[in-house]
Amino acid sequence: MKKQSEHFLFGNETKVEDLGGGLKRQMLGFNEELMAVKVFFDKGAEGYTHKHRHSQVTYVESGEFHFTIDGEMKVLKAGDSCLIPPYAEHGAICPTGGVLIDTFSPAREDFIEE
């Protein structure tokens, strides 16, 4: 894994990765202990249900998201956030289109290109 991002990343210069299924991801900064990622959802896009070893905090920048964490579903809108503990099953559907800011500790190794 690359050890850390540059100190300054500019939104108009930082790569946006197309994940398919109406999802795109842009790295906002990371080191081995912490990572922040911007995730763009098209209208109706779904973040599939999954789990991982990382602690995660997600902030809703825009849109409406139907978030499920360990079987409990809540509707989150701009300004809302959620904590996802390690190994908790979670996913989200975005009926409106929107943007999430995900933070992970430690960093998601699988998101880093060498």
Side-chain angles (χ1 to χ4, degrees):
M1 176 175 111
K2 183 177 172 184
K3 299 288 184 199
Q4 70 178 36
S5 64
E6 300 296 324
H7 292 302
F8 298 98
L9 290 95
F10 300 93
N12 63 344
E13 298 174 4
T14 303
K15 176 181 158 186
V16 176
E17 180 183 3
D18 189 340
L19 303 174
L23 298 173
K24 294 183 175 109
R25 174 172 61 212
Q26 184 179 42
M27 302 303 289
L28 299 179
F30 65 91
N31 62 20
E32 293 179 350
E33 299 161 355
L34 181 66
M35 174 181 280
V37 179
K38 190 173 201 175
V39 185
F40 304 86
F41 283 69
D42 288 345
K43 183 177 181 177
E46 180 175 356
Y48 66 93
T49 300
H50 64 288
K51 59 184 173 180
H52 45 73
R53 69 182 186 91
H54 313 82
S55 294
Q56 177 177 341
V57 172
T58 295
Y59 172 79
V60 180
E61 180 179 290
S62 64
E64 178 181 298
F65 290 83
H66 297 191
F67 241 99
T68 302
I69 303 171
D70 276 343
E72 181 179 7
M73 196 283 287
K74 298 285 184 185
V75 176
L76 301 180
K77 297 182 180 180
D80 296 338
S81 59
C82 60
L83 169 69
I84 302 164
Y87 302 106
E89 281 202 347
H90 60 284
I93 297 173
C94 185
T96 61
V99 176
L100 298 177
I101 305 296
D102 288 337
T103 55
F104 301 96
S105 180
R108 291 284 305 260
E109 306 87 352
D110 54 325
F111 288 7
I112 305 299
E113 296 178 11
E114 288 296 328

